[in-house]
Coordinates of all heavy atoms in Angstrom, one line a residue:
K795 N 0.9 -1.2 0.0 CA 0.0 0.0 0.0 C 0.9 1.2 0.0 O 1.7 1.4 0.9 CB -0.9 0.0 1.3 CG -1.9 1.1 1.3 CD -2.8 0.9 2.6 CE -3.8 2.0 2.7 NZ -4.6 1.8 4.0
L796 N 0.8 2.1 -1.0 CA 1.7 3.2 -1.2 C 0.9 4.5 -1.2 O -0.2 4.6 -1.7 CB 2.4 3.0 -2.5 CG 3.3 1.8 -2.7 CD1 3.9 1.7 -4.1 CD2 4.4 1.8 -1.6
D797 N 1.5 5.6 -0.8 CA 0.9 6.9 -0.8 C 1.0 7.5 -2.2 O 2.0 7.3 -2.9 CB 1.7 7.9 0.2 CG 1.4 7.5 1.6 OD1 0.4 7.0 1.9 OD2 2.4 7.7 2.4
L798 N 0.0 8.2 -2.6 CA 0.0 8.9 -3.9 C 1.0 10.0 -3.8 O 1.1 10.7 -2.7 CB -1.4 9.5 -4.2 CG -2.5 8.5 -4.6 CD1 -3.9 9.2 -4.6 CD2 -2.2 7.9 -5.9
V799 N 1.7 10.3 -4.9 CA 2.6 11.4 -4.9 C 1.9 12.8 -4.7 O 2.5 13.7 -4.3 CB 3.4 11.4 -6.3 CG1 2.5 11.8 -7.4 CG2 4.6 12.4 -6.2
T800 N 0.6 12.8 -5.0 CA -0.2 14.0 -4.8 C -0.5 14.2 -3.3 O -1.0 15.3 -2.9 CB -1.5 13.9 -5.6 OG1 -2.1 12.6 -5.3 CG2 -1.3 14.0 -7.0
G801 N -0.3 13.2 -2.4 CA -0.5 13.4 -1.0 C -1.9 13.3 -0.6 O -2.3 13.6 0.6
D802 N -2.9 13.0 -1.5 CA -4.3 13.0 -1.1 C -4.9 11.6 -1.1 O -6.1 11.5 -1.4 CB -5.1 13.9 -2.0 CG -4.8 13.6 -3.5 OD1 -4.1 12.7 -3.8 OD2 -5.5 14.3 -4.4
G803 N -4.1 10.6 -0.9 CA -4.7 9.2 -0.9 C -3.6 8.2 -1.0 O -2.4 8.5 -0.8
Y804 N -4.0 7.0 -1.3 CA -3.0 5.9 -1.5 C -3.5 4.9 -2.5 O -4.6 5.1 -3.1 CB -2.9 5.1 -0.1 CG -4.2 4.6 0.4 CD1 -4.7 3.4 0.0 CD2 -4.9 5.4 1.3 CE1 -5.9 2.9 0.5 CE2 -6.2 4.9 1.8 CZ -6.7 3.7 1.4 OH -7.9 3.2 1.8
Y805 N -2.7 3.9 -2.9 CA -3.1 2.9 -3.8 C -2.4 1.6 -3.5 O -1.5 1.6 -2.7 CB -2.8 3.3 -5.3 CG -1.4 3.5 -5.6 CD1 -0.6 2.5 -6.2 CD2 -0.7 4.7 -5.3 CE1 0.7 2.7 -6.5 CE2 0.6 4.9 -5.6 CZ 1.3 3.9 -6.2 OH 2.7 4.0 -6.5
Y806 N -2.9 0.5 -4.1 CA -2.3 -0.8 -3.9 C -1.5 -1.1 -5.1 O -1.9 -1.0 -6.3 CB -3.4 -1.8 -3.6 CG -4.2 -1.5 -2.4 CD1 -5.4 -0.8 -2.5 CD2 -3.7 -1.9 -1.2 CE1 -6.1 -0.5 -1.3 CE2 -4.5 -1.6 0.0 CZ -5.7 -0.9 -0.1 OH -6.4 -0.6 1.0
S807 N -0.3 -1.6 -4.9 CA 0.7 -1.9 -5.9 C 1.1 -3.3 -5.9 O 1.5 -3.9 -4.9 CB 1.9 -1.0 -5.7 OG 3.0 -1.4 -6.6
F808 N 1.0 -3.9 -7.1 CA 1.4 -5.3 -7.3 C 2.3 -5.4 -8.6 O 1.8 -5.2 -9.7 CB 0.2 -6.3 -7.5 CG -0.6 -6.3 -6.3 CD1 -1.6 -5.3 -6.1 CD2 -0.5 -7.3 -5.3 CE1 -2.4 -5.4 -4.9 CE2 -1.3 -7.4 -4.2 CZ -2.3 -6.4 -4.0
K809 N 3.6 -5.6 -8.4 CA 4.5 -5.5 -9.5 C 5.1 -6.9 -9.8 O 5.1 -7.8 -9.0 CB 5.7 -4.6 -9.1 CG 5.3 -3.1 -8.8 CD 6.5 -2.4 -8.3 CE 6.1 -1.0 -7.9 NZ 7.2 -0.3 -7.1
G810 N 5.6 -7.0 -11.1 CA 6.4 -8.2 -11.4 C 5.5 -9.5 -11.5 O 6.0 -10.5 -11.0
I811 N 4.3 -9.4 -12.0 CA 3.4 -10.6 -12.0 C 3.7 -11.3 -13.4 O 3.5 -10.7 -14.4 CB 2.0 -10.2 -11.9 CG1 1.7 -9.3 -10.7 CG2 1.1 -11.4 -11.9 CD1 0.4 -8.7 -10.6
P812 N 4.1 -12.5 -13.4 CA 4.3 -13.2 -14.6 C 3.0 -13.6 -15.3 O 2.1 -14.1 -14.7 CB 5.0 -14.5 -14.2 CG 4.6 -14.7 -12.8 CD 4.4 -13.4 -12.2
Y813 N 2.9 -13.2 -16.6 CA 1.6 -13.5 -17.3 C 1.9 -14.6 -18.4 O 1.0 -15.0 -19.1 CB 1.1 -12.2 -18.0 CG 1.9 -11.6 -19.0 CD1 1.8 -12.0 -20.4 CD2 2.7 -10.5 -18.8 CE1 2.5 -11.4 -21.4 CE2 3.5 -9.9 -19.7 CZ 3.4 -10.3 -21.0 OH 4.1 -9.7 -22.0
A814 N 3.1 -15.0 -18.6 CA 3.5 -16.1 -19.5 C 4.7 -16.8 -19.1 O 5.5 -16.3 -18.3 CB 3.6 -15.5 -21.0
L815 N 5.0 -17.9 -19.7 CA 6.3 -18.6 -19.5 C 7.4 -17.8 -20.0 O 7.3 -17.0 -21.0 CB 6.3 -20.0 -20.2 CG 5.4 -21.1 -19.6 CD1 5.6 -22.3 -20.4 CD2 5.9 -21.4 -18.1
P816 N 8.6 -17.9 -19.5 CA 9.8 -17.3 -20.1 C 10.0 -17.7 -21.5 O 10.0 -18.9 -21.8 CB 11.0 -17.8 -19.2 CG 10.3 -18.2 -17.9 CD 9.0 -18.7 -18.2
P817 N 10.0 -16.8 -22.5 CA 10.1 -17.1 -23.9 C 11.6 -17.3 -24.3 O 12.0 -16.7 -25.3 CB 9.5 -15.9 -24.5 CG 9.8 -14.8 -23.6 CD 9.9 -15.3 -22.2
N818 N 12.3 -18.1 -23.6 CA 13.7 -18.4 -24.0 C 13.9 -19.8 -24.5 O 12.9 -20.6 -24.6 CB 14.6 -18.1 -22.8 CG 14.1 -18.8 -21.6 OD1 13.4 -19.8 -21.6 ND2 14.6 -18.3 -20.4
G819 N 15.1 -20.2 -24.9 CA 15.4 -21.5 -25.4 C 14.5 -21.8 -26.7 O 14.5 -21.0 -27.6
T820 N 13.8 -22.9 -26.7 CA 13.1 -23.3 -27.9 C 11.8 -22.4 -28.0 O 11.1 -22.5 -29.0 CB 12.7 -24.8 -27.8 OG1 12.0 -25.0 -26.6 CG2 13.9 -25.6 -27.9
W821 N 11.5 -21.6 -27.0 CA 10.3 -20.7 -27.1 C 10.7 -19.4 -27.7 O 9.8 -18.5 -27.9 CB 9.6 -20.6 -25.7 CG 8.9 -21.8 -25.3 CD1 9.2 -22.6 -24.2 CD2 7.8 -22.4 -25.9 NE1 8.3 -23.6 -24.1 CE2 7.4 -23.5 -25.2 CE3 7.0 -22.0 -27.0 CZ2 6.3 -24.3 -25.5 CZ3 5.9 -22.8 -27.4 CH2 5.6 -24.0 -26.6
R822 N 12.0 -19.1 -27.9 CA 12.4 -17.8 -28.4 C 11.8 -17.6 -29.8 O 11.7 -18.5 -30.6 CB 13.9 -17.8 -28.6 CG 14.5 -16.5 -29.1 CD 16.0 -16.5 -29.3 NE 16.7 -16.3 -28.1 CZ 18.1 -16.3 -28.1 NH1 18.8 -16.4 -29.2 NH2 18.7 -16.1 -26.9
F823 N 11.2 -16.4 -30.0 CA 10.6 -16.0 -31.3 C 9.2 -16.5 -31.4 O 8.4 -16.1 -32.4 CB 11.4 -16.4 -32.5 CG 12.8 -15.9 -32.6 CD1 13.8 -16.9 -32.7 CD2 13.2 -14.6 -32.4 CE1 15.1 -16.5 -32.8 CE2 14.5 -14.2 -32.4 CZ 15.5 -15.2 -32.6
K824 N 8.7 -17.4 -30.5 CA 7.4 -18.0 -30.7 C 6.4 -17.4 -29.8 O 6.7 -16.6 -28.9 CB 7.5 -19.5 -30.4 CG 8.4 -20.3 -31.3 CD 8.5 -21.7 -31.0 CE 9.4 -22.5 -32.0 NZ 9.5 -23.9 -31.7
A825 N 5.1 -17.7 -30.1 CA 4.0 -17.2 -29.3 C 4.2 -17.5 -27.8 O 4.6 -18.6 -27.4 CB 2.7 -17.7 -29.8
P826 N 3.7 -16.6 -26.9 CA 3.9 -16.9 -25.5 C 3.0 -18.0 -25.0 O 1.9 -18.2 -25.6 CB 3.4 -15.5 -24.9 CG 2.5 -14.9 -25.9 CD 3.1 -15.3 -27.2
Q827 N 3.4 -18.7 -24.0 CA 2.7 -19.8 -23.4 C 2.2 -19.4 -22.0 O 2.8 -18.6 -21.3 CB 3.6 -21.0 -23.3 CG 4.1 -21.5 -24.6 CD 3.0 -21.9 -25.6 OE1 2.2 -22.7 -25.3 NE2 3.0 -21.2 -26.8
P828 N 1.1 -20.0 -21.6 CA 0.5 -19.6 -20.3 C 1.5 -19.8 -19.1 O 2.3 -20.6 -19.1 CB -0.7 -20.6 -20.1 CG -1.0 -21.0 -21.5 CD 0.3 -21.0 -22.3
P829 N 1.3 -18.9 -18.1 CA 2.2 -19.0 -17.0 C 2.0 -20.2 -16.1 O 0.9 -20.7 -16.1 CB 2.0 -17.7 -16.2 CG 0.5 -17.4 -16.5 CD 0.3 -17.9 -17.9
L830 N 3.0 -20.5 -15.3 CA 2.8 -21.6 -14.3 C 2.3 -21.0 -13.0 O 2.5 -19.9 -12.7 CB 4.2 -22.3 -14.1 CG 4.8 -23.0 -15.2 CD1 6.2 -23.5 -14.8 CD2 3.9 -24.1 -15.8
S831 N 1.7 -21.9 -12.2 CA 1.2 -21.5 -10.9 C 2.4 -21.6 -9.9 O 3.5 -22.2 -10.2 CB 0.1 -22.4 -10.4 OG -1.0 -22.3 -11.3
W832 N 2.2 -21.1 -8.7 CA 3.3 -21.2 -7.7 C 2.6 -21.6 -6.4 O 1.4 -21.4 -6.2 CB 4.0 -19.9 -7.6 CG 3.2 -18.7 -7.3 CD1 2.7 -18.3 -6.0 CD2 2.7 -17.7 -8.2 NE1 1.9 -17.2 -6.1 CE2 1.9 -16.8 -7.5 CE3 2.8 -17.5 -9.6 CZ2 1.3 -15.7 -8.1 CZ3 2.2 -16.4 -10.2 CH2 1.5 -15.5 -9.4

């Protein structure tokens, strides 16, 4: 939970969420594949 730079509120921040498998190796240049669960 972070403060707004405007000082008049806050927001919730979630960064670095994987939305696909790493597109490396044999997946390089190819369409993205669904991400794995954790």
Side-chain angles (χ1 to χ4, degrees):
K795 185 178 179 180
L796 300 174
D797 291 329
L798 290 168
V799 71
T800 49
D802 55 356
Y804 57 85
Y805 64 96
Y806 299 95
S807 168
F808 297 84
K809 300 171 183 171
I811 307 170
Y813 66 84
L815 286 178
N818 49 21
T820 57
W821 289 114
R822 182 185 279 182
F823 307 124
K824 296 183 180 181
Q827 299 301 303
L830 297 176
S831 298
W832 57 80

